[in-house]
Amino acid sequence: MIDLHQALLRCQKEADRYRLLAEQSTDLISRHSATPEWIFIDVNPAIEPLLGYKAEDIIGTSGYALFHPQDADNLKNRSDSVIYRDGLYTNTYRYRHKLGHYIWFETTSRTIRDEQGNPLEVICVSRDVTERELAQQATRRLAKVVEASSDMILFCQYNTQTFTYLNEAAQRTLNTSGTTARKQLKQLFTDRLYQDAVLPALQVAAIEGNWHGAIPMALPDDSLRVAELREIIAHRDRNDRTLVDYYTLIGRDVTARKQAEQQYKRHQNEMAHMSRLLSVGEMATELAHEINQPLATILNYSNGTLRQIEEQQLQTATQTQRALELISRQAHRAAEIIRRIRRFVQRTEVQSCPFKINECCREVTEFLHQDARDQQVRFQFELDDSNPVVQGDRVQVEQVLLNLLRNAIEAYSTLNTDAAVITLITRAMPQAIQISVCDQACGIKPEMMAQLFEPFMTSKVNGLGMGLSISRSLIESHGGQLWAESDGKSGSCFHFKLPLRSTQ
């Protein structure tokens, strides 16, 4: 009897310890009936901070009624949120709080059965996993965004630079499968770009956390796409924040943009060519007169020489040689005028090459010599002594100068003055050359300045309003700027900058 009494005391103490443990637990420990209603039989005090109910309020009520409607039958349907192992079920679901909102629970339950295997009750241990589930939901949403992104997103290991993930856009652009085929970062670039651009970008990202820029990718030869690496994000090691764990690379398929740029350039070149043709057409009278002068001179020298031969006035070869030299000089002059016209109007692809801007300025004024003389306009030069060299398409730069100079000549057409001067200025700067065309005519009205470079904006009766718009486009395509300054009364200056040719 004494041994039995002591055994009962030990069992009682053991039960008290388990109850104390259950009462002190922050997890919800509950017992339920094995019926479909899942009636609460017993519950520890953790129910109040978790669900807002007191133990005495919840015991005897249906636990099934508190499930979110979409999660109530998880166990019955063996949903993906249910895990079974060694007689234990773990279910993740939403459960209603006393205040009406739902929290996420993760419950591990076991069914207690009698000797015949009939269910007696269900014991559950539940914990609040709301933060975890919301974080996972956010991760899943982010993963969907990453997968659906039109940008290329790639995960790359820090040490091996091997890709561990490519989103759909990256797989499509790189023409590779989801397995990434153990592709490495350096395979996406030429050797030179990888050494000179990619590795320094990785170093910047490792130090500063991210890098932004644009590095062209070397796609397969049969690919019709064009892509660029735009951003690198360095992710730190969770345990050692000084170490980089992996990189996220963000690229972009710029095929459509490049095609649009090429189309725009073709359109721009066509417009520029048309503008040159129109300019020459408008100058046809002046150009014909300028060509006619050397031709008339050749004719006069030829007739005079023939007459002298007929009259036997030429006694020596020296006298004939002098006449032929004069004829040859005028023929070269006529040929040079025609050469300039042909070069100016012919349709060619954009050709970037170095040229001296001062020579370019002088040549354009010679092209406009007759036009300026007809309007009694004189050119004045203030050219940089260093004779700077720029890199670009000479014909297009000449076209801009021609447009600006012709506008300046026409600005004097309404004035009655004998001192009409157009000043052409070149000034070298540290990284650029500035060219200015200035006149002292009537200036540009303030209301015109804001719309000056817009297409079809013109103050001329027969003008199309495309000259300045095309000129600005051509200068900007060279990486430069074109702008105007005027007091609105006594003159105006048009300036444009072009990058100087690199000396490296």
Side-chain angles (χ1 to χ4, degrees), residues 32 36-40 53 58 61-69 72 94-97 102:
H32 300 265
E37 290 76 15
W38 212 52
I39 303 297
F40 278 99
Y53 296 98
I58 200 74
T61 65
S62 171
Y64 182 84
L66 299 181
F67 279 100
H68 189 283
R94 288 161 289 184
Y95 213 53
R96 191 171 71 240
H97 193 277
Y102 287 90

Side-chain angles (χ1 to χ4, degrees), residues 157-191:
Q157 291 180 337
Y158 171 72
N159 292 325
T160 63
Q161 294 187 6
T162 301
F163 293 119
T164 59
Y165 169 79
L166 281 71
N167 72 341
E168 185 177 341
Q171 295 177 36
R172 182 172 59 251
T173 302
L174 302 178
N175 193 24
T176 186
S177 65
T179 61
T180 71
R182 306 300 293 175
K183 185 181 285 289
Q184 290 185 311
L185 179 60
K186 63 181 179 181
Q187 295 176 265
L188 300 186
F189 304 90
T190 62
D191 292 340

Side-chain angles (χ1 to χ4, degrees), residues 381-397:
F381 298 95
E382 296 179 13
L383 305 180
D384 194 288
D385 293 336
S386 65
N387 199 11
V389 175
V390 299
Q391 184 81 22
D393 187 296
R394 179 165 181 156
V395 172
Q396 290 187 351
V397 175

Side-chain angles (χ1 to χ4, degrees), residues 251-269:
R252 184 163 297 169
D253 186 329
V254 293
T255 306
R257 193 198 75 193
K258 291 294 185 182
Q259 290 174 344
E261 288 177 355
Q262 292 173 359
Q263 179 66 26
Y264 172 76
K265 287 179 180 178
R266 286 194 293 269
H267 177 70
Q268 184 186 59
N269 290 338

Side-chain angles (χ1 to χ4, degrees), residues 119-132:
L120 299 175
E121 61 181 49
V122 180
I123 299 177
C124 300
V125 177
S126 307
R127 62 180 55 186
D128 183 350
V129 292
T130 302
E131 289 188 8
R132 187 193 75 188

Side-chain angles (χ1 to χ4, degrees), residues 400-428:
V400 173
L401 281 169
L402 183 79
N403 287 337
L404 298 182
L405 289 168
R406 289 194 68 224
N407 287 346
I409 293 171
E410 291 177 9
Y412 281 112
S413 62
T414 58
L415 301 179
N416 186 14
T417 177
D418 295 331
V421 177
I422 297 174
T423 306
L424 197 53
I425 306 167
T426 61
R427 184 178 296 111

